[in-house]
Amino acid sequence: MEDVVIARSLFGTTMGFHIIFATLGVGIPLMILIAELMYQKTKNREYAIMAKRWTKAKAVLLGVAIPTGTIAGVQLSLLWPGFMEVIGKVMALPFQIEIYAFFIEALFISIYVYAADRISPWMRILSVTLVTIGAAASAVLITNVHAFEGTPAGFRIENGQIVDVDPWAAFFNPSFVVTAAHVAVSAFMTGAFVIASVAAYKMLRNKHDERVYKFHRKALIMGLVVGGIFSFMTAINGHESAQLLHQYQPEKLAAAEGLFETQSHAPLAVGGFTDRETKEVKWGIEVPWALSFLADDRFDTVVVGLDDFPEEYWPPLFVHTLFNAMVGIGSLLIMLSLFGFFWSKILKKTTYPKWLMWLFVAAGPLSMLAIEFGWIFACTGRQPWVIYRIMLTEDAVTGNQNLAALFIAFAGIYVLLGVAVVLVLRYYFKRHPIEDELNDIPPSSNGVQA
């Protein structure tokens, strides 16, 4: 078990670090595309400046996403040989197709970065569109392996041998569509809120420079609108995800809600923590019948409790806290984007209260935290299985005894990479302040080219 814990900690740390860059690598291209479309429609050069600056940030983040993603792939083979034996024979398609998705993303981001000023408007839009599609496809394809772990399909294990392999059935496993949609919309949400956070912070720092303030206000409103739309879509998709858990991984849903007794009209526990001894959620608020409705759109739906499963197959009960944190942050972000839109578009306010601005600043980190909570919940809630009801995690782990040293080494590498990213981004944007680019636009034109 010690080997399992260290291996999971090492791989979890790698994925927890990589997912920051992978998520922004999917979300920011959509914001670049929207800014580019706005520029082509309005000819307001401020949108072109947004697209250009966000593209530089995307390029830096991609430079870290690639090596950390490579490390994650290597660690899968080294840490989980039993798991990768199954994946190699059954679920290799996503890895193979992802190569082409990454190729499209890398090719067209290069074109956009180095030749945006020398290509036609339609080619600029096409380039950013393909970057967005390639980045999203890469995330969806790789995450499909995780979907397969929870709802395996396309093979059987008979007498220790893998038989009846159907790669396409494995690829289109029962949770593929819902998981793919969740990955995409949550990444788009996070990218938008990170842009909004940076814009809000810059507004606080430049409130006496009207031109810079207005520039960042445009970016803030764009981020809030896009983030609000996709946070709402993430919530709808989360409802579908809960119904999949009810159907395919009932103990995971029970652990997420701290439900021990199988029952109809099951309550939804909001907040609190799950107590294994008393078998209840302490300090939580119960919403009557809501869990049954969440599970199958009916209040009389019978939701299976943890007591119906052997205790050794229970997921860690702290997943209830992770699930609540993820949902709570998502709900806050929806309300924040709605309030921001109402304040600026309905009330026609051009400035925001300081407390609201700091909430906008917090929105980006909170959205990324929700991504991390969701990923940990998804993986930890499947335990003790690496492939649900087929292979235990402890049966898939390597027998190598030097994992602790590797864990320390990789943790150090990630700290250095994280610091390097921050320093590079700060250096670039300090060397290329927004004031210089705005000064190239005649003030009387309000950003619109003649």
Side-chain angles (χ1 to χ4, degrees):
M1 285 303 297
E2 184 179 348
D3 291 341
V4 173
V5 171
I6 296 175
R8 287 188 62 212
S9 299
L10 173 55
F11 187 68
T13 301
T14 298
M15 287 304 302
F17 186 71
H18 172 69
I19 204 171
I20 297 171
F21 303 94
T23 300
L24 294 178
V26 175
I28 290 179
L30 178 66
M31 295 298 291
I32 298 171
L33 175 59
I34 293 171
E36 182 65 45
L37 288 169
M38 291 295 294
Y39 169 59
Q40 297 301 339
K41 178 182 179 181
T42 66
K43 298 305 178 184
N44 186 325
R45 282 189 58 202
E46 290 184 355
Y47 291 114
I49 293 171
M50 288 179 198
K52 178 182 176 181
R53 293 174 73 83
W54 296 344
T55 301
K56 301 299 184 184
K58 155 72 177 175
V60 173
L61 296 173
L62 183 63
V64 179
I66 293 171
T68 54
T70 303
I71 290 171
V74 172
Q75 285 184 0
L76 273 174
S77 298
L78 295 179
L79 299 178
W80 311 105
F83 170 67
M84 289 306 292
E85 180 182 359
V86 176
I87 293 299
K89 295 178 179 178
V90 180
M91 198 57 176
L93 272 176
F95 292 103
Q96 295 167 350
I97 301 172
E98 195 271 339
I99 294 173
Y100 297 98
F102 173 72
F103 176 77
I104 291 171
E105 178 189 6
L107 174 62
F108 285 95
I109 192 67
S110 300
I111 292 173
Y112 191 75
V113 168
Y114 294 109
D117 296 333
R118 298 188 293 274
I119 56 180
S120 61
W122 74 267
M123 188 61 192
R124 288 167 64 113
I125 293 172
L126 178 62
S127 296
V128 187
T129 300
L130 290 173
V131 170
T132 306
I133 292 172
S138 290
V140 164
L141 288 163
I142 294 302
T143 311
N144 191 24
V145 177
H146 165 74
F148 170 81
E149 292 178 84
T151 54
F155 77 109
R156 293 186 304 109
I157 293 182
E158 189 175 283
N159 299 322
Q161 300 297 314
I162 299 170
V163 298
D164 296 339
V165 174
D166 184 344
W168 287 111
F171 186 95
F172 292 106
N173 61 82
S175 60
F176 165 65
V177 173
V178 172
T179 302
H182 195 74
V183 168
V185 297
S186 61
F188 294 148
M189 173 199 75
T190 303
F193 278 120
V194 167
I195 293 292
S197 284
V198 175
Y201 180 74
K202 291 294 186 180
M203 288 169 68
L204 286 168
R205 293 286 301 271
N206 295 278
K207 52 188 172 184
H208 300 301
D209 188 329
E210 185 179 2
R211 201 167 189 198
V212 173
Y213 185 90
K214 287 182 176 179
F215 172 85
H216 289 300
R217 189 176 65 201
K218 287 181 182 178
L220 172 65
I221 294 172
M222 186 189 300
L224 290 177
V225 170
V226 176
I229 291 170
F230 282 103
S231 57
F232 185 70
M233 292 176 66
T234 301
I236 295 174
N237 178 267
H239 178 58
E240 296 173 343
S241 299
Q243 294 181 334
L244 272 176
L245 291 182
H246 170 66
Q247 183 176 358
Y248 293 100
Q249 300 179 70
E251 62 268 52
K252 186 175 181 178
L253 180 62
E257 286 302 328
L259 186 73
F260 290 86
E261 180 183 345
T262 298
Q263 56 190 284
S264 64
H265 302 87
L268 183 73
V270 179
F273 68 94
T274 308
D275 190 319
R276 182 183 291 267
E277 300 301 322
T278 61
K279 295 187 176 182
E280 63 180 6
V281 176
K282 289 192 172 181
W283 311 108
I285 300 171
E286 287 193 351
V287 182
W289 303 4
L291 180 56
S292 288
F293 185 82
L294 181 69
D296 197 31
D297 296 333
R298 291 173 57 92
F299 292 115
D300 61 351
T301 297
V302 175
V303 182
V304 182
L306 288 170
D307 285 340
D308 280 26
F309 304 95
E311 191 167 345
E312 61 267 26
Y313 292 161
W314 288 5
L317 298 185
F318 67 79
V319 297
H320 170 72
T321 304
L322 293 171
F323 182 75
N324 273 263
M326 175 183 65
V327 173
I329 291 173
S331 302
L332 174 64
L333 293 175
I334 292 174
M335 291 187 291
L336 194 58
S337 58
L338 287 174
F339 188 79
F341 182 80
F342 177 81
W343 186 270
S344 62
K345 295 299 183 182
I346 307 300
L347 299 181
K348 305 296 184 181
K349 302 282 189 178
T350 57
T351 60
Y352 302 89
K354 194 170 183 179
W355 63 267
L356 182 59
M357 291 297 294
W358 282 111
L359 282 177
F360 291 153
V361 172
L366 283 174
S367 63
M368 184 57 70
L369 203 57
I371 292 286
E372 297 283 6
F373 287 152
W375 182 257
I376 297 169
F377 165 73
C379 295
T380 305
R382 191 186 58 250
Q383 298 306 310
W385 306 99
V386 67
I387 301 178
Y388 184 65
R389 299 285 179 88
I390 291 177
M391 179 180 289
L392 290 166
T393 304
E394 63 185 37
D395 294 335
V397 73
T398 179
N400 192 301
Q401 301 297 310
N402 300 314
L403 299 183
L406 282 175
F407 177 77
I408 295 170
F410 276 108
I413 290 171
Y414 300 145
V415 170
L416 290 175
L417 279 174
V419 172
V421 168
V422 173
L423 292 177
V424 169
L425 289 174
R426 281 178 59 85
Y427 175 79
Y428 177 81
F429 289 112
K430 275 184 174 292
R431 287 286 302 271
H432 302 83
I434 185 63
E435 292 84 354
D436 290 352
E437 296 183 71
L438 290 178
N439 287 336
D440 292 337
I441 305 174
S444 59
S445 70
N446 196 29
V448 181
Q449 290 179 309

